[in-house]
Amino acid sequence: MDVLFSELKAWGADTDSAVRLVLGDKGFYYEKLSEFGELKETELLKEALEDKDYNRAFRIAHDLKGVTVTLGLMPLHYAAAAVTEDLREGHHEDLFRDMEILLGEEAAFLKILSRRAV
Amino acid sequence: MNTVHQSVSLKPSCVVGIGASAGGLEALQQFLTFLPSNTGMAFVIIQHLAPDHKSMLAGILEKYSAMPVTEIRDGMTIERNHVYMIPPRYNVEIEEDVLHLKEYDLGIINHPIDIFFRSLAAAYENRAVAVILSGTGSDGTSGIRSIKEQNGVIIVQTPESAKFDGMPRNAIATGFVDMVQNPDSIAKEMAHIAASIIESNSRFLLSDQDLMSQIFSILRNVTNINYAYYKQTTILRRIERRLVITHSRNLNEYVTYLNNNPEEAKTLAKEVLIGVTSFFRDSEYFDVLKETVIKHILRSSPREKQIRVWVAGCSTGEEAYSIAILFAEAMEELGFRRDIKIFATDLESDSIASAVRGVYSDNIIEDVSVTRLSKYFTRKGNKYVIHHDIRQMIIFAQHNIFQDPPFGRLDLISCRNVLIYFQTVLQRNLFAIFHKALNDQGYLFLGRSESVIDYDEIFRGVCANEKIFIHNIAGKAPVHEHFAYTMPSFENMLEPIPIQETEDDAEVKHKSAELDTSVLEALMPACVLVNEKNELVRSYGDCSQFLSIPSGDATLDIFMLIRPDLRIAVSTVLKDSREKDEKVSYENVPVRLSENPEHIAIVAQPILDRHGLKTNFTGIAFLRGNAELSGNVEEYRIDTAASKRISDLEQELRLTKDDLRQTVTELESVNAELQAANEELLTANEELQSSNEELQSVNEELYTVNSEYQSKVNELASVNDDMANFLSTTLVGILMVDKELKIRKYTEYISTEFNLADQDIGRSLRYITFNFTTVDLMQQCSQVLSTMDPIEQHCASIAGKTYLIRIAPYLSQEGGKLEKADGADVRDQMTTLQGLVLTFVDTTKQIDDQEQIEEIARALRKAVRTGQEKENFLSQMSHDMRTPMTAISGLTELTLKDASISDSVRDNLEKIKMSSDYLVGLIEEILETSRINAGKIVITSSAVREETVIGSVQTIIEEQMRSAGLHFSVNISGSQNRYVLMDVPHVERVLLNLLSNGIKYTPRGGEVSFNAEVRYANNCAQYTYTIRDTGVGITDSFKQKMFLPFEQDIREGDLHDGAGLGLYICRQLVELMGGSIECESSIGKGSIFTVRLSYSLATEEQIALSAHRAETYEDQVLYGKNILVVDDNRINAEVIIKNLNTKGIHAELASDGQEAVDMFLARGPYHYQAILMDLMMPVKSGEEATTEIRHLPLEDASTIPVIGLTADVTEGVEERCREAGMNSFISKPVESEKLFYMLAELFQKKEQGEQ
C-alpha cells in the first residue's frame, strides 16, 4: 500500500493530507480510492458534453472536483476544476483541451492504481 | 524490567551439544524429525564441515524441525527451542548463554566437538547433554569426559545404526556413556531428560535416609563394598543421573527399580566409582613431581634397591603410566637405570582391565606431548599402545584400599582425586594406611583439591601447591578408629600380557633319514659335526667318552663339550683342516679314557654337500686303536701343537683386535647414521600421521559436502518431476526456445497447432510448420529478443480456434561470486536473456462464453433498469404524496382543535386524520424501502450498555400492550450489561416492528413475550432476541414470502392493514447489521420471531467517548447528536460520516436535496440536530432544499443548523448560502476539526437561543 501511495505522490497526489483527513485510516483511504477508480465519472462527463448538456456536465465536473480534492488526487482535481471553470464561464472552446488533460490524468491515476492493486 | 524478564524466560533449561561427522546428515535428519519442538532445550549441532565450502546444512535441516534452525553468529545468545548450526571454518564455544566463534588454524588437527563439549560442561554443568552421532575418528571422546565430570548426560548413537561407527564406538569405549540409542529414540528421550533435569534440582531436598540406606545395602550385596562412608553428594549426583536414565520419578521408584534389576546396581556402583582421569592431568604438577620427587628418589636409592610406587585408584591407568613415563624420563636424564615397580590398583574391574590393555584413543594427543607419544607409545590405527618398557614397570590389580592389605615399603604413593569420593572418616583411615605403607621420607601425591586433613604432622607439604607431601614416620598420628583388613585380593593380580613368541616351523623328518641315523649311530666311530662357529651340530656313534656337558649355562661350543685333554688337539686339527681345506689327521694323541692312558687318532675333514660343494661344516672323528689313516697324517706332538696353538691364537687375537677396532669405528659411524635416520623417520612419521589425520578430516568433510549435494540433487529431481508433470498435463501450450530460436522444451498441448516431435528439440523454430497464418511468429520473436518486452496477441488457427499468444523473454538469474561485506555473504544476481517462452492459450471457448455473458449482462441491465424505474416511480410518487399528505394531516389536526365544529364534521375529520396518518405511514415505509434498496442506509454503531435498547423498547411497547389487553413479559438471560457497539435506532426499529406485529396479530387476552439471550465469544456479545406471541399464526404459504416486499397474509375477515413492507425492512436492516431473522409459526397457536445479532464489545476509548467523558467541551456538545448528511457523492459523504462517528455523532445520509427534505419531514421534529448540505446536487440543489426545509411546518424547521458544503469557493457562495437559509458553509475537503468547531458553535448558539 505504501508503494501505491509513493507512486501517487510522485504523480502529484497529496496522499498525506488525504490520509490525515480520514484520521490516518489508510485501509479506508485505499478503499475509497478503489471505489473512485470504478466510478467512471469522466465517461458521464464526456457523454454530457457530447450531448451538449452543459448543466449536467457542470454538476458532474463540480462533483469530480469535490471528490478528488477530498481524496488528495490533485492532478485530477486541478483538471476537473479547469473543466468546471470552462463550463461556468462558458469557455466551451477550451473544453476539449481541458478534457484531454483530465482524461490523461485519470488514465495515469488508473494505471498506478491497477499496477499497485493491494 | 520487561526486557530482563523476557530474556530470562528465553533461556534454555539445558543445552544439548550434538556432535556428528561423516554420515551425520542422515542421523541428524532422523533426530530432528522426531525431536519435540517444545522441550525448552537449545540444541547446538557441531558437524565436521569443509572449511572452504558454504554449508547448506541449516537450510536442509530446517525442513526436518519445527524449531528455527540458525547458523551460529559470534556473540549470539542461545534461546530455548532453537537449533543452532556450526558454520564452516569455526569452532564454537559457549560461555553462560552466549555462543562464541573462533576461527581455527587449517594447518592443525581440529576437534570441534571436544572443544564445544568442554565449554558446554563448564557453562551448563549437570544441565549439559552431549549426543554423539555417526562419524569416523574419535572427536567427542575427550569432550564427554568433561561432561561426565560435571554429571551431565551422554547419549551415543548405536554403532549399528550409524553410517560410520568410529565416533560412537570410541565414545562407548570410555565407559562414560549413559545411553546408546538410535537417533529417533534419542530425540524422543530429550523431552524426558529436559523434564527430569528441571525437577532434579529440587528432588533431593526431600531425600530419604531410609531409602539411601537401602541403596547402600543393595550396592554392598552386589559389589561387597560399603558405600556408606562415601561422599553422599557424589553418590546422590550419580543416583540423580541414574534416575533420569532409568525414567524413575523419585528415589522410591528408583529403589524398587534397583531391587528388580541387579544390573542397575552394578551400573550405579560403576558410576560411583568411575574416575575421570587423563595422562598428566594437571601437567604442571607432574613436572614438579618429576623434578622434585622422582629424581630425588632415583638419586637417593641404592642401585640394587627396587623403587616401589603405589598408584591408588588408578582408574583406566593413565596416571600410573604417566608416573612410569616420568621415571623413564628421569632415569634417562640422570643417565642410570633402577628397578622400578609401580603397583596400580583400583576397585573397578573394568577400569583395571582397560588399564592392563594399555591401549588409548588418539584423543590423548591433547594430554601427551608429541615427543612422549613418539617415545612411549606405538600408533596402531587410530589408537595408541603404551610401550612394553613402560608397561613392564607396572603391576595392575583390583584392590580395595580399605579391605585389602596395603603395599609396603613404598617410596611414593599417588592417590589423586580419590579422597574426594570419601567422607572424612574414610579419608582418615586412608591416611593411616598410607602412613603404614610409605617408607620414612617417602612421598605422597594428592589431587588438586585434596588435603591431608588431620595427618599434617605425618605428611608435611613439600610442594604444597602441587599437593606433594613427604612422609614423616615419627610424626604424631591422630587417634581414630581403624578399619580391619579382610581377605587379600592379590589373587587377581594381573601380570603383563605375555608377548607371544613366534614358533619355528617343525622340522620335517623323513623316515629314511631316521634309518640312516640309526645305522651310523650303531656302526660309526665317535664323530661330531661342527659348524663354522665351532658349535656342535650333530654327533655320531658313541661320543660319550669324548664329550660331556659342562656345568653352568648350556652351550654347544665344541671346546666346552670336549674333554679338556683333547681340547688343544681338536682345536689344532680343526684349524689345520679348515686352513688347508682338506682332511687332516693327528695320530698318537694321548688321552685317558679309562684307567690306562691310551693314544687315539683325531681326523678333521671339511664336509661337502651331495653336489661336492663346500659347506660350513667340519666333521671330527675320534679313532681308537690302530685305525688306518689316509691323507695328511701328522704325528701329534703336544708341545708343538701347544706352541702352534698359542701362535695361532695370538695371530687370531691380533686380527680380531683389528677387526674389532674397525668394527667399532664402523659401528659408531653406522650408529650415528642410524640415529640421524631414526630422527628423520620419527619426523617423517609424525608428518605422515598428521597428513593422514588431515586426509581423514578432509574425507569426512567431503562426505558431508557430498551428503548435502545429494540432498539438493534429490530436491532438484523432485522439482524436475513436478515440472515434467506440469508440462505434460497443462492445457496451455508452452514452447521454450533459445536465442537462436532452437526448441528447448514444449508441452504436449502445443502439438495440436505445431508439428512437433521429440526429435525436433534442438531444431530451429523456423523449420517447424504451424497452423497460424495470420501472425508472423518469427518476426515477433526477433522483436522480443531485441526489446525484451513481452508481446501479447490474439490470433486464429487454421482449425478455427482462437488463441492468445504471449511471447516473453526467458531470463535466468545467475549468481555472481561470493563476497564478504560487513560479515555477510553477498551474492550478485545478474539477469541474462536465455531465449523466449511462447505461451498459447486457447481462448475459443472463452470468447464464446464472453459473448454469452455479454448477452446475459445486457438482459440483466435491462431488467435492473426496469426494476429501478419501478422503484424510482414509487419513490417519486411517495415523495410527491408525502408533502400534501402531511399537510392534510396537519391541517386536519388544526381543524380538530377548533371547538366550534359539529360532531359529524369532527367524526369525518377524525376519519380523514386516521386515513391520512395511515397513508403517511405507508409512504414512510415505501421511502425507507427505497433507501434500503438504494444502499442509502448506513449502519453506524456507538458504544452503549447492551441492555439500554431492551429497556427503551420495553418502555415504548408496554403501554401499547396494555392498551391492546395483552400480557407482556420481558426476560434477559446471560447479560453482563457490558458496553457494546450497536446501531441503537436500527435495532430498536427492528424489535419495535416485530413487537408491534405481535400486538397487531394477537387477540385481546393473549400473551406476548420478549426474550433476550446473550453469549460472549470472540470479543462479541451474541444476542438472540425472541418475540413470541399467542396470536393467529402465519400460514405456510405466507411463510415462504413473508420477508419479501409488498407481501401480506390476507385472510378472510382480516382487518389488518399495512403495505407489506414491515418484515421486509426488518430483514434488510438485520442483514445490514450482519445478523439473521427467522420465524416459526402455527396457525391458531402463535408465532416466534428470532433475531440474531452480534455486537463487538466496546474498547475503553469507545466507552470513554460514549460515556460522555470527553475531555473537551466541544466533544461533550457534539456527542450523541444526530446529523443529516446530504451529498450526492457517496465517497465524500462517507468520509464526512466517518469523521462524525469519531465524536459519537450519529449520521444519516440523503443523496439529493429532495431526499433531504423528505427525510427531514418524515423523521419529525428534533430528530436531527443539524444538516450538512452539499450545494451542487441533482434533483434538488442544496440551496433549494434548505429553503424548502426552512418553510416546512415542523417546530425545528427554522432553527435547525444547516451548514453548506462546497468544493466551489468562488465569490458570492457565502451570500448564496445565507440567502438560502444556511447558517454557515464549509469548503471541501471538509476538515474535521473545522467542521466540529463549527457544529459545536452552532449547537451552543442554538441552545442559548432556546434558553
Side-chain angles (χ1 to χ4, degrees):
Chain A
M1 203 182 289
D2 288 339
V3 180
L4 168 69
F5 293 171
S6 302
E7 289 201 13
L8 284 173
K9 265 190 203 171
W11 169 60
D14 182 6
T15 53
D16 291 342
S17 299
V19 170
R20 219 169 20 249
L21 202 66
V22 294
L23 310 166
D25 188 344
K26 287 185 181 176
F28 179 79
Y29 176 51
Y30 174 71
E31 198 181 299
K32 296 302 133 194
L33 280 178
S34 306
E35 281 176 21
F36 175 71
E38 287 165 9
L39 278 181
K40 308 273 189 289
E41 292 236 338
T42 48
E43 281 179 23
L44 297 173
L45 179 59
K46 235 167 91 180
E47 277 175 25
L49 288 173
E50 279 164 8
D51 296 347
K52 298 203 185 308
D53 184 348
Y54 294 122
N55 282 336
R56 187 155 60 95
F58 177 73
R59 192 183 50 72
I60 297 168
H62 188 271
D63 188 43
L64 200 55
K65 182 177 141 191
V67 71
T68 49
V69 75
T70 301
L71 294 175
L73 306 175
M74 302 318 285
L76 269 173
H77 170 70
Y78 297 135
V83 174
T84 311
E85 289 315 303
D86 291 342
L87 289 164
R88 192 200 305 277
E89 302 294 331
H91 295 155
H92 297 166
E93 66 280 8
D94 296 335
L95 273 174
F96 180 75
R97 181 200 63 202
D98 291 333
M99 268 307 287
E100 283 293 303
I101 295 170
L102 179 64
L103 291 171
E105 294 294 0
E106 186 194 41
F109 165 71
L110 291 175
K111 194 173 175 188
I112 294 169
L113 194 65
S114 65
R115 193 164 57 222
R116 296 296 174 196
V118 178
Chain B
M1 285 301 283
N2 283 342
T3 318
V4 174
H5 177 72
Q6 199 175 14
S7 71
V8 170
S9 68
L10 291 174
K11 274 189 177 179
S13 58
C14 51
V15 174
V16 184
I18 303 159
S21 185
L25 181 62
E26 193 180 298
L28 282 168
Q29 286 169 346
Q30 212 181 342
F31 175 77
L32 289 176
T33 305
F34 289 92
L35 184 63
S37 61
N38 57 351
T39 55
M41 298 166 138
F43 300 86
V44 182
I45 298 173
I46 309 293
Q47 162 81 42
H48 288 172
L49 296 170
D52 301 323
H53 177 77
K54 185 174 165 54
S55 173
M56 294 179 284
L57 264 185
I60 293 169
L61 295 178
E62 202 166 33
K63 295 171 192 160
Y64 296 87
S65 174
M67 290 182 278
V69 181
T70 318
E71 193 169 84
I72 298 169
R73 294 186 306 279
D74 191 28
M76 186 180 243
T77 303
I78 200 160
E79 289 179 20
R80 62 198 308 156
N81 301 329
H82 276 63
V83 180
Y84 298 91
M85 184 74 218
I86 188 173
R89 207 190 289 184
Y90 287 96
N91 284 329
V92 181
E93 286 183 282
I94 187 165
E95 196 178 333
E96 292 187 349
D97 52 351
V98 178
L99 293 165
H100 297 288
L101 292 180
K102 280 185 189 165
E103 198 164 354
Y104 62 79
D105 187 353
L106 294 176
I108 58 165
I109 302 300
N110 183 39
H111 283 159
I113 302 172
D114 285 336
I115 290 168
F116 180 73
F117 281 179
R118 277 196 284 268
S119 72
L120 179 62
Y124 277 79
E125 299 180 343
N126 64 343
R127 293 186 297 124
V129 180
V131 176
I132 292 184
L133 301 177
S134 169
T136 59
S138 61
D139 194 8
T141 308
S142 165
I144 60 172
R145 284 174 186 271
S146 307
I147 299 279
K148 192 76 192 172
E149 241 174 315
Q150 297 296 342
N151 216 30
V153 179
I154 300 161
I155 311 175
V156 172
Q157 181 179 4
T158 50
E160 298 74 30
S161 72
K163 215 160 191 178
F164 293 86
D165 61 3
M167 272 170 37
R169 280 194 193 284
N170 278 316
I172 293 165
T174 60
F176 299 146
V177 175
D178 294 311
M179 280 184 248
V180 181
Q181 292 185 334
N182 291 347
D184 53 339
S185 305
I186 297 174
K188 289 171 195 163
E189 193 67 29
M190 285 300 155
H192 166 72
I193 290 172
S196 305
I197 284 176
I198 292 165
E199 281 174 23
S200 67
N201 293 327
S202 57
R203 186 156 30 198
F204 287 109
L205 290 175
L206 300 170
S207 70
D208 190 325
Q209 280 306 317
D210 289 346
L211 292 173
M212 288 304 293
S213 302
Q214 282 187 49
I215 291 176
F216 290 141
S217 167
I218 295 165
L219 286 178
R220 189 165 193 166
N221 289 340
V222 174
T223 63
N224 199 26
I225 297 167
N226 184 2
Y227 289 89
Y229 292 115
Y230 278 57
K231 273 221 174 115
Q232 300 285 298
T233 47
T234 312
I235 295 179
L236 279 175
R237 282 178 71 190
R238 302 295 190 211
I239 292 174
E240 187 182 296
R241 188 49 70 239
R242 292 307 303 166
L243 252 74
V244 175
I245 308 302
T246 58
H247 291 214
S248 302
R249 282 173 299 180
N250 50 45
L251 205 56
N252 205 5
E253 262 190 38
Y254 183 65
V255 170
T256 313
Y257 186 84
L258 263 181
N259 277 318
N260 298 333
N261 298 277
E263 280 304 312
E264 175 59 21
K266 287 181 190 166
T267 310
L268 176 61
K270 194 176 162 186
E271 285 270 309
V272 172
L273 294 175
I274 207 156
V276 179
T277 182
S278 59
F279 282 95
F280 304 99
R281 192 180 188 189
D282 309 322
S283 60
E284 65 278 12
Y285 289 22
F286 276 83
D287 292 343
V288 173
L289 183 77
K290 177 178 152 189
E291 296 303 325
T292 315
V293 176
I294 292 179
K295 282 190 178 173
H296 179 257
I297 293 172
L298 286 169
R299 280 196 202 100
S300 59
S301 297
R303 190 176 177 180
E304 66 283 359
K305 183 183 171 287
Q306 188 182 56
I307 294 170
R308 292 160 67 87
V309 179
W310 181 17
V311 180
C314 69
S315 187
T316 42
E318 286 89 337
E319 191 180 313
Y321 286 123
S322 299
I323 289 174
I325 288 170
L326 291 184
F327 269 102
E329 283 177 349
M331 287 193 290
E332 193 180 328
E333 285 165 24
L334 295 172
F336 59 77
R337 294 198 64 78
R338 292 282 184 275
D339 181 11
I340 313 291
K341 191 58 72 187
I342 299 172
F343 303 98
T345 64
D346 200 279
L347 198 53
E348 220 285 299
S349 59
D350 288 350
S351 297
I352 285 291
S354 174
V356 166
R357 282 194 293 276
V359 179
Y360 296 94
S361 74
D362 59 359
N363 285 85
I364 63 166
I365 59 169
E366 285 164 22
D367 305 317
V368 184
S369 67
V370 176
T371 318
R372 280 175 175 159
L373 272 179
S374 59
K375 208 163 179 181
Y376 302 110
F377 291 86
T378 307
R379 190 178 169 93
K380 287 189 176 171
N382 58 355
K383 306 273 184 197
Y384 283 94
V385 182
I386 197 86
H387 270 193
H388 186 66
D389 296 345
I390 301 295
R391 174 68 188 83
Q392 288 286 28
M393 289 188 203
I394 308 172
I395 293 171
F396 288 103
Q398 191 184 358
H399 177 264
N400 186 335
I401 301 175
F402 300 107
Q403 293 177 3
D404 300 327
F407 299 91
R409 293 178 289 113
L410 295 165
D411 297 290
L412 168 66
I413 295 177
S414 173
C415 182
R416 308 195 74 223
N417 303 313
V418 175
L419 293 164
I420 52 171
Y421 291 97
F422 303 143
Q423 291 183 26
T424 315
V425 59
L426 275 191
Q427 290 185 6
R428 281 203 195 94
N429 269 280
L430 192 58
F431 286 122
I433 291 166
F434 290 165
H435 180 36
K436 284 181 189 166
L438 262 180
N439 288 332
D440 189 24
Q441 303 299 304
Y443 290 93
L444 175 64
F445 184 30
L446 298 181
R448 186 187 275 269
S449 56
E450 294 165 335
S451 68
V452 291
I453 47 168
D454 304 336
Y455 275 77
D456 47 352
E457 277 194 34
I458 307 257
F459 298 105
R460 290 182 182 157
V462 180
C463 304
N465 287 341
E466 286 77 20
K467 305 289 177 186
I468 300 173
F469 303 88
I470 193 161
H471 183 215
N472 174 25
I473 204 158
K476 191 182 170 192
V479 180
H480 57 83
E481 190 189 347
H482 292 258
F483 292 158
Y485 304 124
T486 56
M487 289 288 290
S489 58
F490 291 116
E491 61 270 23
N492 294 331
M493 191 178 286
L494 303 172
E495 289 299 335
I497 296 166
I499 297 164
Q500 285 193 332
E501 300 289 341
T502 311
E503 287 183 9
D504 294 332
D505 292 334
E507 286 182 9
V508 180
K509 293 181 179 177
H510 300 287
K511 224 170 187 176
S512 58
E514 284 174 13
L515 285 172
D516 290 349
T517 306
S518 300
V519 171
L520 287 170
E521 295 284 339
L523 301 175
M524 274 184 75
C527 291
V528 293
L529 186 68
V530 295
N531 61 17
E532 79 279 9
K533 293 178 185 170
N534 298 326
E535 286 171 341
L536 176 65
V537 176
R538 195 166 174 78
S539 65
Y540 306 89
D542 180 11
C543 296
S544 60
Q545 287 181 302
F546 302 100
L547 302 175
S548 64
I549 296 171
S551 60
D553 293 341
T555 178
L556 289 173
D557 189 341
I558 191 68
F559 301 120
M560 299 299 285
L561 298 173
I562 201 81
R563 291 173 61 91
D565 50 357
L566 289 179
R567 268 182 202 157
I568 293 174
V570 169
S571 76
T572 311
V573 75
L574 196 56
K575 186 168 180 296
D576 273 2
S577 174
R578 279 177 182 156
E579 277 178 359
K580 292 172 184 167
D581 197 16
E582 62 178 23
K583 179 177 171 186
V584 175
S585 307
Y586 283 180
E587 57 183 1
N588 294 327
V589 179
V591 65
R592 188 183 284 273
L593 295 175
S594 55
E595 285 182 6
N596 298 323
E598 60 179 292
H599 288 85
I600 62 165
I602 301 174
V603 181
Q605 182 168 1
I607 303 298
L608 303 176
D609 66 9
R610 65 173 71 169
H611 304 293
L613 297 173
K614 192 182 164 188
T615 68
N616 291 327
F617 302 106
T618 308
I620 303 169
F622 303 97
L623 307 173
R624 295 176 74 177
N626 298 321
E628 200 171 302
L629 301 172
S630 60
N632 185 6
V633 181
E634 290 180 22
E635 182 74 16
Y636 179 74
R637 294 178 67 87
I638 184 69
D639 51 345
T640 315
S643 63
K644 193 177 177 186
R645 174 66 184 152
I646 289 163
S647 157
D648 288 345
L649 285 172
E650 282 171 353
Q651 174 69 16
E652 196 177 318
L653 185 62
R654 265 196 306 279
L655 287 171
T656 307
K657 275 184 177 174
D658 288 346
D659 280 354
L660 184 63
R661 204 173 295 117
Q662 196 180 343
T663 305
V664 166
T665 314
E666 280 173 11
L667 273 174
E668 281 174 352
S669 161
V670 168
N671 193 32
E673 281 174 20
L674 279 174
Q675 274 184 1
N678 189 37
E679 278 169 22
E680 280 173 21
L681 279 171
L682 280 174
T683 313
N685 189 32
E686 280 168 21
E687 283 171 9
L688 278 172
Q689 280 182 9
S690 172
S691 304
N692 186 30
E693 281 163 9
E694 274 176 33
L695 280 172
Q696 197 176 329
S697 169
V698 168
N699 189 31
E700 283 177 12
E701 285 158 6
L702 282 173
Y703 191 88
T704 307
V705 172
N706 188 38
S707 302
E708 288 177 11
Y709 280 137
Q710 193 61 45
S711 178
K712 283 286 167 197
V713 164
N714 290 341
E715 277 180 28
L716 275 176
S718 167
V719 171
N720 267 340
D721 283 348
D722 292 349
M723 192 71 186
N725 277 296
F726 168 71
L727 289 176
S728 65
T729 55
T730 182
L731 293 178
V732 175
I734 298 171
L735 187 60
M736 294 182 190
V737 295
D738 64 11
K739 284 194 276 193
E740 293 168 353
L741 302 185
K742 287 180 182 166
I743 295 163
R744 294 180 58 237
K745 269 196 176 80
Y746 67 93
T747 57
E748 288 295 322
Y749 192 73
I750 198 77
S751 55
T752 53
E753 301 298 344
F754 281 77
N755 299 320
L756 276 176
D758 284 348
Q759 58 267 30
D760 291 325
I761 288 177
R763 286 182 65 199
S764 173
L765 190 60
R766 296 174 207 283
Y767 309 118
I768 305 294
T769 56
F770 48 82
N771 297 338
F772 303 109
T773 51
T774 57
V775 62
D776 186 351
L777 269 184
M778 296 307 120
Q779 187 273 327
Q780 293 195 340
C781 287
S782 304
Q783 187 187 327
V784 176
L785 280 174
S786 60
T787 62
M788 288 184 56
D789 286 332
I791 292 177
E792 273 188 5
Q793 191 176 353
H794 285 281
C795 74
S797 73
I798 296 170
K801 286 187 171 181
T802 51
Y803 286 91
L804 172 66
I805 303 179
R806 181 180 162 83
I807 305 172
Y810 183 115
L811 301 172
S812 73
Q813 302 279 334
E814 287 181 357
K817 64 176 180 180
L818 275 173
E819 286 176 9
K820 252 189 171 176
D822 302 330
D825 288 342
V826 176
R827 189 178 282 275
D828 290 340
Q829 291 289 341
M830 291 181 291
T831 307
T832 52
L833 178 68
Q834 297 287 331
L836 297 172
V837 182
L838 290 80
T839 317
F840 299 81
V841 182
D842 185 352
T843 56
T844 315
K845 190 168 184 307
Q846 193 183 335
I847 287 170
D848 291 349
D849 291 348
Q850 186 70 32
E851 282 170 5
Q852 278 183 18
I853 288 166
E854 278 173 14
E855 214 166 282
I856 292 164
R858 272 196 295 276
L860 186 65
R861 275 197 295 275
K862 195 175 169 187
V864 168
R865 214 164 30 241
T866 311
Q868 276 173 349
E869 279 167 8
K870 201 170 105 187
E871 203 160 280
N872 287 344
F873 167 73
L874 269 174
S875 174
Q876 193 60 45
M877 190 187 75
S878 302
H879 279 306
D880 294 347
M881 283 171 68
R882 183 162 55 178
T883 311
M885 282 314 300
T886 311
I888 290 167
S889 176
L891 289 169
T892 310
E893 198 166 353
L894 275 175
T895 314
L896 277 168
K897 285 175 185 170
D898 187 352
S900 63
I901 57 169
S902 67
D903 287 347
S904 62
V905 172
R906 180 176 298 278
D907 184 46
N908 287 338
L909 281 174
E910 276 173 356
K911 283 176 182 165
I912 289 168
K913 174 78 171 64
M914 202 166 68
S915 300
S916 59
D917 284 349
Y918 167 70
L919 274 175
V920 168
L922 201 62
I923 288 164
E924 281 308 319
E925 283 191 344
I926 291 169
L927 285 173
E928 183 143 18
T929 306
S930 174
R931 274 199 300 281
I932 288 171
N933 290 345
K936 288 174 184 169
I937 299 287
V938 179
I939 300 298
T940 50
S941 300
S942 54
V944 290
R945 288 270 185 202
E946 53 189 316
E947 290 178 13
T948 310
V949 75
I950 299 167
S952 66
V953 166
Q954 188 179 0
T955 311
I956 295 167
I957 213 73
E958 250 172 0
E959 182 52 37
Q960 294 179 37
M961 291 282 178
R962 245 194 315 278
S963 306
L966 298 172
H967 299 288
F968 178 55
S969 63
V970 178
N971 181 42
I972 309 171
S973 61
S975 166
Q976 296 169 6
N977 202 17
R978 294 160 79 169
Y979 276 96
V980 295
L981 295 178
M982 186 189 289
D983 185 337
V984 176
H986 285 135
V987 175
E988 262 181 18
R989 176 84 202 272
V990 170
L991 296 174
L992 286 173
N993 194 311
L994 295 174
L995 285 163
S996 299
N997 280 348
I999 295 171
K1000 234 188 268 179
Y1001 295 103
T1002 308
R1004 185 169 280 275
E1007 280 181 21
V1008 177
S1009 68
F1010 173 39
N1011 293 322
E1013 191 186 320
V1014 198
R1015 278 188 188 171
Y1016 298 95
N1018 302 326
N1019 223 21
C1020 284
Q1022 293 167 347
Y1023 262 81
T1024 305
Y1025 300 104
T1026 314
I1027 291 117
R1028 187 190 301 266
D1029 65 53
T1030 54
V1032 295
I1034 300 166
T1035 59
D1036 288 342
S1037 61
F1038 183 64
K1039 273 186 206 164
Q1040 309 294 323
K1041 51 188 181 179
M1042 61 194 292
F1043 290 113
L1044 296 176
F1046 306 109
E1047 292 294 343
Q1048 283 180 292
D1049 190 10
I1050 299 166
R1051 279 173 265 175
E1052 201 177 336
D1054 204 340
L1055 297 171
H1056 306 301
D1057 50 14
L1061 288 169
L1063 286 176
Y1064 172 73
I1065 291 168
C1066 279
R1067 190 171 82 165
Q1068 295 303 313
L1069 288 176
V1070 167
E1071 286 179 356
L1072 271 173
M1073 289 186 279
S1076 66
I1077 181 168
E1078 57 196 52
C1079 172
E1080 285 175 47
S1081 183
S1082 304
I1083 292 289
K1085 288 184 178 172
S1087 307
I1088 305 166
F1089 282 86
T1090 308
V1091 177
R1092 290 190 177 84
L1093 284 168
S1094 182
Y1095 311 117
S1096 299
L1097 296 177
T1099 62
E1100 287 298 321
E1101 285 174 6
Q1102 289 161 333
I1103 294 167
L1105 196 63
S1106 68
H1108 212 183
R1109 286 191 218 121
E1111 285 175 9
T1112 63
Y1113 174 73
E1114 183 183 287
D1115 290 342
Q1116 291 182 25
V1117 170
L1118 296 178
Y1119 180 78
K1121 296 287 188 292
N1122 196 14
I1123 290 179
L1124 178 63
V1125 177
V1126 190
D1127 198 326
D1128 62 323
N1129 189 292
R1130 194 178 174 81
I1131 293 173
N1132 273 335
E1134 283 178 6
V1135 171
I1136 292 167
I1137 290 171
K1138 183 178 177 65
N1139 281 301
L1140 291 173
N1141 286 344
T1142 62
K1143 294 287 180 185
I1145 300 170
H1146 184 80
E1148 292 178 25
L1149 176 62
S1151 57
D1152 60 54
Q1154 183 56 54
E1155 195 179 344
V1157 174
D1158 294 343
M1159 284 173 74
F1160 185 75
L1161 192 60
R1163 297 288 185 235
Y1166 301 110
H1167 180 78
Y1168 301 112
Q1169 282 76 55
I1171 300 171
L1172 299 179
M1173 183 76 79
D1174 186 25
L1175 299 189
M1176 185 72 70
M1177 285 183 293
V1179 184
K1180 190 169 272 177
S1181 74
E1183 289 129 296
E1184 290 167 335
T1186 307
T1187 308
E1188 200 172 327
I1189 285 170
R1190 291 297 186 210
H1191 290 93
L1192 283 175
L1194 291 180
E1195 289 164 29
D1196 61 339
S1198 59
T1199 56
I1200 186 165
V1202 181
I1203 299 172
L1205 309 173
T1206 180
D1208 196 358
V1209 283
T1210 50
E1211 220 174 299
V1213 170
E1214 189 175 358
E1215 204 181 321
R1216 272 166 45 211
C1217 289
R1218 299 252 180 251
E1219 279 174 6
M1222 294 180 190
N1223 299 73
S1224 187
F1225 86 101
I1226 191 165
S1227 61
K1228 291 180 183 176
V1230 178
E1231 289 172 17
S1232 53
E1233 280 138 23
K1234 204 168 165 183
L1235 176 65
F1236 296 147
Y1237 174 77
M1238 202 175 270
L1239 279 169
E1241 199 178 43
L1242 287 170
F1243 290 147
Q1244 204 179 350
K1245 274 184 188 169
K1246 184 166 178 279
E1247 204 173 317
Q1248 284 164 357
E1250 282 166 2
Q1251 281 169 359

